[in-house]
Structures are given as structure tokens and as C-alpha cells.
Amino acid sequence: MRRKALGAVAALGLSAAVGTVASASVLDKPFFRAHAVVIVFGASDFSENGGVAPVVYDFHLLDDATSGEAAPDIIGVNGRTINYNSGRYNPISSGEGSGWELQVNGATFGGQFTSAGPHQTLDANDSYNAFGLDDGTDIDLLGGGARASRFYVTSNVAFDIFGEASALQATGDFSALDYSNIRYRFQYDVTGGGGANRWGRNAQDPGVGGDGVTFGAGPGLQTLAGLTGGPVKVFDGGRRTARNNGSIMTQAVGFRSRYNLRGAGINGNNYDFSQGVGTLAADVTYTIYTP
């Protein structure tokens, strides 16, 4: 009997101990989730406004947007596109303070142009050397009048890019020109640059699995007239830019826009002195969309 009683007491003590531990339990739950994120970098503003580069100005969350909609941007500023010159990134000029650079075509000798910066603008810092001429020598916009700029995208998910042209300005002798007089080309480079400013070393082609560039690609003529009236898809992505371990810059892909004046078409030129003087400009806004 005594042995049984001790057994009963021991059993009661064990039950009380178990109940005490349960009432003082602590729950821990390590949990990690990587959101679908697209980062865009370029310049903070135009060079005339003191812009700096490279700067991240778009940080998009694609988790919270349905397919075909603009992705929420959790950085509340808009940036500008960028140049890549002399091994480094440069904010582009707005072009409003000076005219486009001119090139000498068909000179019998000389006529070389030296741009001292800001690039893509003609001002008193630039220079030409003397040149010989005959009846085939002419003046044209440098590089066929192509204004080139870039922005860069790093992503851990597929994304689309839409573009929209707005705020047309046509003044002076160019007042009759419109969006159809601005030729548009859009393309991207998976890698480029050099040294500490090289992009894409750890990137992959984000167009694989999608349609890639959908507007502004190839040899066919496309103009900003096709980007008016609302956002138009210019890039259809199929996968992330990041290929393997790296930084934002090494996992980035560079998107490049080129704009040409469609002007006189005289002697193959985009501009002729007979057109006089004037300005033709527009804003093109790029926005990240969910695929």
C-alpha cells in the first residue's frame, strides 16, 4: 500500500509540472519574404538644374499591382534619363539653353567639331576647325540629329515598360511640326560601361520569355506620334535582370532612347538652313508596369 501511495504522489507531481510549462510557452516564427521589386536609376535632374548621377529615383513594388497596371512606386520623386560619357554617368541637358550640335558634311578638308560639354548642345564652348567646301558641302544636325539618353533597370522579377509622349513644343519656323517629326527608337543593352561604372556584369536579358522591345525597334519608321494619347507598351519583359550575385549596378540593364528630327530630307539631311530657326520638343515618360 505504501509503495502505491508514493506512486500516486509522483504521478500528480509530474502532471502539475507539465501543466506549468505549457502555460508559460513562447512562440517564435522566423519568416522572410522577398517582394517583387524593380529599381530604376538615372539622373536626379537635368544638368542645368544641378542634376547628379547615378541616382535611384524609382523603387517599384510589383506585388501590389495587377497585370497590365502601373506598379506602385515607393520613392516619391521622378528622375531624368542619363548620358554615359568618358567612362562615367552624366545628367543630360534639357537642351533649352542652346541649339543642337551641327556637323559639316562633304567638306573638301577640315570641318571637325569639338564638343566641350554639355554634350548634345551647341554653345560658345564648342569649336570647329577651318574647312574647305564645294557645291556638295552642307550643314546637318550632328549624328543625324539623334538625341540619345539612357536609364537603367535592376529587377528580381519580370516587368514591362510603358512610354507616353506629351507636352509638345513647336516654335518659330518649326511651329508647323508635330510628334510625327520626331523619330523614335528604343533598345537595351544587357551590359556596358567600364571600370567601377560598368553595368550588367551579373545581369541577363530581361526580354527572354517576353516580346522584348515592342515599340521603337527595328529599321521601320516609328515616331512619337505612336506614343501619344496614353501609355503605350515599349518593352515586354519575361524574366528578371539579375542573373547571379551582384550589386544593383552589376545586375542592371541599360535602356536607350534615340530621337531624330524628321525635317527637310534635303541631301539626306534631317535639317537644312532653309528651315530657319525654331524648337521642337516633347516629354517622354517611362513607367514600370506589371507584366
Side-chain angles (χ1 to χ4, degrees):
M1 294 293 293
R2 186 175 183 179
R3 185 176 299 172
K4 291 182 179 178
L6 288 173
V9 171
L12 289 172
L14 178 61
S15 176
V18 171
T20 302
V21 172
S23 65
S25 62
V26 177
L27 177 64
D28 199 2
K29 185 179 181 180
F31 179 81
F32 304 94
R33 178 185 179 186
H35 284 280
V37 172
V38 175
I39 293 174
V40 183
F41 67 88
S44 62
D45 208 332
F46 295 117
S47 58
E48 292 87 348
N49 299 330
V52 294
V55 172
V56 172
Y57 48 72
D58 282 335
F59 200 108
H60 297 283
L61 282 175
L62 275 65
D63 288 347
D64 299 325
T66 58
S67 178
E69 291 187 0
D73 184 4
I74 61 177
I75 296 181
V77 298
N78 292 321
R80 301 291 185 269
T81 51
I82 198 173
N83 285 319
Y84 186 82
N85 293 308
S86 304
R88 61 191 181 93
Y89 301 98
N90 310 99
I92 66 169
S93 167
S94 67
E96 295 178 358
S98 57
W100 189 261
E101 296 171 341
L102 297 174
Q103 67 183 8
V104 180
N105 292 336
T108 58
F109 64 85
Q112 285 78 25
F113 171 70
T114 300
S115 177
H119 302 292
Q120 302 187 17
T121 62
L122 182 66
D123 55 38
N125 296 320
D126 301 325
S127 64
Y128 296 84
N129 61 10
F131 58 91
L133 72 161
D134 57 22
D135 62 1
T137 308
D138 207 351
I139 292 288
D140 193 9
L141 300 183
L142 186 66
R147 179 178 176 86
S149 60
R150 300 176 186 267
F151 63 92
Y152 298 83
V153 175
T154 303
S155 77
N156 63 359
V157 68
F159 59 93
D160 295 337
I161 301 175
F162 282 58
E164 182 177 8
S166 61
L168 181 75
Q169 300 176 41
T171 68
D173 294 319
F174 287 8
S175 59
L177 303 183
D178 58 24
Y179 291 110
S180 66
N181 292 102
I182 303 176
R183 180 174 181 174
Y184 174 73
R185 287 172 289 177
F186 191 63
Q187 57 193 136
Y188 62 95
D189 304 296
V190 174
T191 187
N197 290 320
R198 184 172 180 82
W199 74 84
R201 285 178 293 186
N202 303 102
Q204 61 185 359
D205 186 344
V208 173
D211 294 328
V213 175
T214 55
F215 186 88
L221 176 62
Q222 292 179 303
T223 73
L224 288 189
L227 293 183
T228 59
V232 175
K233 184 185 290 189
V234 296
F235 175 79
D236 182 87
R239 61 180 181 175
R240 62 181 179 266
T241 67
R243 173 173 51 88
N244 53 33
N245 291 346
S247 66
I248 291 174
M249 188 171 291
T250 63
Q251 293 175 343
V253 169
F255 288 87
R256 178 155 43 104
S257 304
R258 293 180 66 86
Y259 310 95
N260 293 76
L261 173 68
R262 293 187 65 223
I266 299 173
N267 297 324
N269 289 3
N270 291 281
Y271 170 74
D272 184 84
F273 272 11
S274 65
Q275 292 179 262
V277 297
T279 62
L280 179 65
D283 293 339
V284 178
T285 302
Y286 293 104
T287 306
I288 301 298
Y289 275 62
T290 54

